[in-house]
Amino acid sequence: MEAILASTPSQFKSLSSKLWPSFSLAFRETKRKTISYGTATAASPVSRIPALSVSASSQSTPASAVASEVISVPSEMKAWVYGEYGGVDVLKFDSSVSVPEVKEDQVLIKVVAAALNPVDAKRMLGKFKATDSPLPTVPGYDVAGVVVKVGSQVRELKEGDEVYGNINEKALEGPKQFGSLAEYTAVEEKLLALKPKNIDFVQAAGLPLAIETAYEGLVRTNFSAGKSILVLNGAGGVGSLVIQIAKHVFGASKIAATASTGKLEFLKSLGVDLAIDYTKENIEDLPEKFDVVYDAIGQCDKAVKVVKEGGNVVALTGALTPPGFRFVVTSDGAVLKKLNPYLESGKVKPIVDPKGPFPFSQVVEAFSYVETSRATGKIVIHPIP
C-alpha cells in the first residue's frame, strides 16, 4: 500500500494524507446505511422497473433541481476508490476525493446515475493493468448527469445540459483515473450526447457502453436489411440492445436469441422471432443457420456452427474460434446522437435490471451482482449524493 501511495498523482493528493486511513470508518458508515435489495430509496425520484419489463417513461430529476445544487463546485467529492487490484473487497468509499480538473475539451458532469459493466470488474482485477491509468482509481465507464462546467474549447454543450455517455474513448487503453462512480466526473465533449428527453437518468446511464458495443458490432459484420441474426444472451445488457438495433435500425429479416426459461417472453417483447431456452435446447441442433451470430456470453465454439458460410460471428468474451472475431468498442458521442431518434421514438428502449437501481451505498453489492452474469439489461447506481 505504501508503494501505491508513494506514486499517487497530485490530483489525488487528498488520498495520500487522509483518505486511506479513513477507509474503514467510511466504509462502516456506508454499510450501516445499506438498503436491502428490492427496496425503493426514499431519496430516489425514479421508480423501479418491474421484473422483465421494458420502460421508457420520463421520471428524471429535473436538470434545474440538480444544477441548483451544484452552482458552486466543491473541491472534494464522495467516490468509490480502489488502490490495489483485486475483487470487490478492494473497493472503498471515501468522501474526500479531489474533484477532477476540466481540460479544454472537457465538461464537468454532476453525476446523477452511473452503470456498471463487465469491463469494470475486469479492470479492477487488473486484467489490463499494462495499459490502465495509475492507481488509485475511481471506477465507472457509463454516466448520465448534468453539465456544471465547460472547458474553453467546448462548442456545443453548456452548463445545465442533461447528458449521457461512455467516458472512456478506449475501454482498455488509458481509461480515466476518475470514473463515473463519484459525484463528479470530467469527460471530453465528443464522447457525450444530450440525454433523450423521454428517458430518465437511470435509463440513460445504462445505455452508452452497451449500445455503442451493440451498434459497432453490427457495423463490423456489415449487417444490413434482410439479414438474419442469432444473439446469444439476448436478455443481457448488450444482447437486449443488439436485438432492438438489428430490428429497428438495420431492418433484420429474422432475429433469434437465447435466454433462460423465465426470460423467453422478455425476448419476444423485444422483437425476437425465435426465443431459444438455452437450458433445454442446444443451438447446434437448430435446423437453420444465420447471417450473423452475436455472441455476448462466451460460446464462440458453438456460435460458429450455426453461422452461414461467409457469415460473421462477433464474440465479446471467452475463447475465440475462427471465423469468430472480437473488437474493443470505441466510445463516440456521434453514435449516441445517431441512435437518439430511435430512443426518443420508443423503438429502442433502455433495459434496467429489476434488482436496481442500486443506491450509491451498495456499489459493492452491485459489483457482486455483475459477476453473476444473470442481469436482465443493465445494472445502474442511483441516486448518487
Side-chain angles (χ1 to χ4, degrees):
M1 183 64 75
E2 291 178 358
I4 293 172
L5 293 179
S7 61
T8 301
S10 60
Q11 64 265 39
F12 258 90
K13 59 182 181 293
S14 61
L15 287 175
S16 60
S17 60
K18 58 183 178 178
L19 171 57
W20 294 97
S22 68
F23 269 162
S24 59
L25 176 60
F27 192 54
R28 286 198 298 272
E29 289 297 319
T30 301
K31 297 297 284 185
R32 280 199 289 269
K33 297 177 183 177
T34 296
I35 304 168
S36 60
Y37 287 146
T39 303
T41 60
S44 172
V46 182
S47 300
R48 293 176 181 275
I49 298 175
L52 302 187
S53 69
V54 179
S55 174
S57 61
S58 179
Q59 304 175 41
S60 61
T61 305
S64 58
V66 177
S68 65
E69 298 173 3
V70 292
I71 292 174
S72 178
V73 178
S75 61
E76 295 182 337
M77 64 182 180
K78 300 179 181 69
W80 285 89
V81 185
Y82 58 89
E84 59 184 320
Y85 292 117
V88 295
D89 57 312
V90 302
L91 274 170
K92 308 296 179 183
F93 172 84
D94 196 277
S95 59
S96 302
V97 175
S98 297
V99 172
E101 295 180 1
V102 178
K103 297 178 181 178
E104 292 182 345
D105 62 342
Q106 293 181 328
V107 300
L108 185 67
I109 296 175
K110 174 64 178 76
V111 181
V112 178
L116 301 187
N117 293 279
V119 69
D120 288 296
K122 292 178 181 178
R123 180 188 181 189
M124 189 164 60
L125 286 169
K127 295 289 187 179
F128 48 96
K129 60 183 176 182
T131 56
D132 201 358
S133 58
L135 292 171
T137 296
V138 174
Y141 283 67
D142 286 332
V143 68
V146 177
V147 175
V148 294
K149 186 176 181 180
V150 299
S152 61
Q153 298 302 313
V154 171
R155 294 291 176 258
E156 296 182 14
L157 296 177
K158 61 184 184 302
E159 292 181 12
D161 281 345
E162 299 181 1
V163 295
Y164 74 122
N166 167 10
I167 72 171
N168 294 304
E169 185 172 11
K170 300 292 184 181
L172 311 183
E173 299 175 17
K176 288 182 173 63
Q177 190 175 17
F178 290 89
S180 58
L181 290 175
E183 291 183 90
Y184 297 91
T185 192
V187 191
E188 290 79 7
E189 180 184 34
K190 67 180 181 179
L191 305 184
L192 300 169
L194 292 175
K195 179 180 73 65
K197 291 182 172 57
N198 63 313
I199 65 174
D200 57 40
F201 284 106
V202 169
Q203 295 164 325
L207 282 168
L209 193 150
I211 204 168
E212 288 169 343
T213 301
Y215 180 81
E216 186 173 339
L218 290 169
V219 170
R220 285 173 177 264
T221 66
N222 295 313
F223 198 74
S224 58
K227 290 186 176 182
S228 60
I229 186 171
L230 168 63
V231 184
L232 305 186
N233 191 23
V238 174
S240 60
L241 289 165
V242 171
I243 290 168
Q244 297 181 76
I245 293 172
K247 182 180 182 69
H248 298 293
V249 180
F250 288 90
S253 61
K254 182 172 185 178
I255 302 176
T258 64
S260 58
T261 308
K263 297 179 181 179
L264 298 182
E265 289 304 313
F266 171 67
L267 291 183
K268 294 176 183 177
S269 74
L270 295 179
V272 168
D273 302 296
L274 176 63
I276 303 166
D277 186 342
Y278 72 82
T279 69
K280 299 177 181 178
E281 301 178 66
N282 190 335
I283 61 171
E284 297 172 70
D285 297 330
L286 292 173
E288 59 187 307
K289 296 186 184 296
F290 301 84
D291 294 302
V292 169
V293 181
Y294 205 120
D295 174 21
I297 196 65
Q299 297 179 340
C300 190
D301 57 332
K302 294 183 178 181
V304 298
K305 296 178 180 179
V306 288
V307 68
K308 291 179 180 179
E309 185 175 352
N312 290 284
V313 175
V314 184
L316 296 185
T317 187
L320 276 179
T321 303
F325 72 92
R326 178 175 293 127
F327 72 96
V328 179
V329 66
T330 299
S331 177
D332 187 354
V335 171
L336 300 180
K337 293 173 184 177
K338 181 174 183 177
L339 296 175
N340 267 359
Y342 295 94
L343 291 161
E344 291 169 343
S345 69
K347 290 181 179 179
V348 176
K349 300 176 176 63
I351 314 295
V352 176
D353 186 87
K355 283 185 179 291
F358 288 79
F360 198 57
S361 60
Q362 284 193 353
V363 166
V364 172
E365 289 86 345
F367 263 103
S368 296
Y369 186 42
V370 168
E371 294 177 349
T372 68
S373 299
R374 294 181 178 178
T376 300
K378 294 305 299 293
I379 299 168
V380 180
I381 307 300
H382 173 84
I384 291 176

